[in-house]
Amino acid sequence: MAINNQQRKGTRMELYYRKTGNGFPLVIIHGLYGSSDNWISIARKLEQQYTVYMPDLRNHGRSPHAETHTYNDLANDIRTFFEQHNIKQATLIGHSMGGKAAMWFAARFPEKINRLIIADIAPQSYLTAENKQAFLHHIILQKMQEIDFSMVKSRKDADHFLSEKISETRIRRFLLKNVVKHQQTGKYHWQINVSVLYRHLKEIVNGVNQDWLKEFMPITAYPVTFIRGLSSNYISATAIRSIKTIYPNAQIIDIPDAGHWLHAEKPEEFVQAVIK
């Protein structure tokens, strides 16, 4: 599948994916700017107990690009993925934006869910004044769009452009995984669909909140676990109250000294939380 394959209007999304292991299906949904690549090491730790599927979401990784990127889109893409791979029911893990997509899919299609595991995101809006995530993503996507790839001869050049607005090295390194070289032209470009993600950023950070899930509450049809990095600010005390309102039986597992990318920072602890 071509890296920048454009989805034809009216066709069903066929997501690129990786698969490993044997056992009950476990589907991992990555976050914003992520891909299946980010989860290979976690999948290897789980492959003896599960058949692990790692799709690239639309507008990410090697999956097709599309003109829209809503949570309805993502939930329908996940449903199509289940159908295409004959997955009757699965444990579903979602991180960040992928966690919101997983919550929305599970609410709409509860019969497909054995267990729901959400990594460092809450069913709330991140547009409020106390949350800085929306502003950060606005800066990131704006700077990503401004890069003139005709001037980029290496990932180091791209890193230099990003560093003008994004000071944190860890974030830049994560973003730079999306810089790829075209096989025919040899030119660098973004693998993710930056312009569409920027256009849909408000829904990405605001969507799948308590108002969205109101018609499904209380959600008790399947076990729900939230795994929180204690060095992250994505799941606050206020967010936990919201989680307990929506999912009264939800379990919260904390990982000390882990930030938002807790699966990369503390992989052993994350896997143990999943198994638990």
Side-chain angles (χ1 to χ4, degrees), residues 32-50:
L32 185 60
Y33 320 119
S35 71
S36 55
D37 281 0
N38 310 143
W39 289 88
I40 291 172
S41 61
I42 295 296
R44 286 176 178 157
K45 296 177 187 297
L46 295 166
E47 64 186 359
Q48 292 186 355
Q49 299 180 54
Y50 298 97

Side-chain angles (χ1 to χ4, degrees), residues 40-259:
I40 291 172
S41 61
I42 295 296
R44 286 176 178 157
K45 296 177 187 297
L46 295 166
E47 64 186 359
Q48 292 186 355
Q49 299 180 54
Y50 298 97
T51 299
V52 185
Y53 296 85
M54 297 163 282
D56 289 349
L57 294 176
R58 63 167 58 203
N59 299 313
H60 288 77
R62 299 187 183 185
S63 282
H65 287 186
E67 288 303 311
T68 60
H69 194 91
T70 68
Y71 283 114
N72 279 334
D73 290 332
L74 300 183
N76 289 334
D77 291 346
I78 296 168
R79 184 186 187 190
T80 297
F81 185 83
F82 273 52
E83 292 171 352
Q84 290 168 337
H85 298 281
N86 198 31
I87 302 171
K88 303 298 184 186
Q89 195 177 65
T91 291
L92 188 61
I93 297 177
H95 172 246
S96 196
M97 177 189 72
K100 286 199 166 195
M103 285 185 272
W104 190 234
F105 171 80
R108 291 176 57 197
F109 309 108
E111 72 281 359
K112 300 290 186 183
I113 303 300
N114 175 257
R115 293 178 182 274
L116 179 64
I117 301 171
I118 304 301
D120 211 60
I121 197 75
Q124 66 172 40
S125 170
Y126 288 88
L127 285 176
T128 58
E130 66 189 51
N131 292 303
K132 307 298 183 184
Q133 290 85 353
F135 178 72
L136 174 63
H137 290 305
H138 176 82
I139 294 296
I140 287 173
L141 286 166
Q142 192 173 57
K143 191 60 183 175
M144 290 173 79
Q145 289 185 97
E146 291 174 358
I147 291 183
D148 181 1
F149 275 103
S150 68
M151 305 293 291
V152 172
K153 307 303 180 186
S154 67
R155 284 188 177 85
K156 188 175 181 180
D157 290 341
D159 185 46
H160 175 72
F161 283 113
L162 291 175
S163 67
E164 294 173 1
K165 290 286 182 67
I166 305 167
S167 60
E168 193 170 335
T169 303
R170 181 179 181 83
I171 293 177
R172 295 202 311 273
R173 285 178 180 168
F174 182 65
L175 297 173
L176 289 168
K177 292 179 180 180
N178 292 291
V179 174
V180 296
K181 184 186 286 188
H182 195 282
Q183 290 182 347
Q184 280 73 42
T185 67
K187 294 181 179 180
Y188 286 94
H189 61 91
W190 289 118
Q191 189 175 42
I192 61 176
N193 195 347
V194 177
S195 61
V196 166
L197 294 175
Y198 182 74
R199 196 163 67 239
H200 289 81
L201 181 58
K202 184 176 180 180
E203 172 158 336
I204 291 170
V205 297
N206 180 62
V208 193
N209 52 52
Q210 190 165 328
D211 286 341
W212 278 44
L213 295 167
K214 188 174 294 184
E215 66 176 288
F216 305 103
M217 291 165 47
I219 297 176
T220 58
Y222 39 82
V224 180
T225 298
F226 285 79
I227 305 176
R228 175 174 65 159
L230 286 183
S231 297
S232 169
N233 59 359
Y234 274 78
I235 302 182
S236 63
T238 302
I240 289 178
R241 288 195 290 272
S242 181
I243 287 169
K244 287 295 188 178
T245 300
I246 299 165
Y247 306 102
N249 301 324
Q251 182 182 16
I252 312 289
I253 299 178
D254 293 335
I255 299 182
D257 303 317

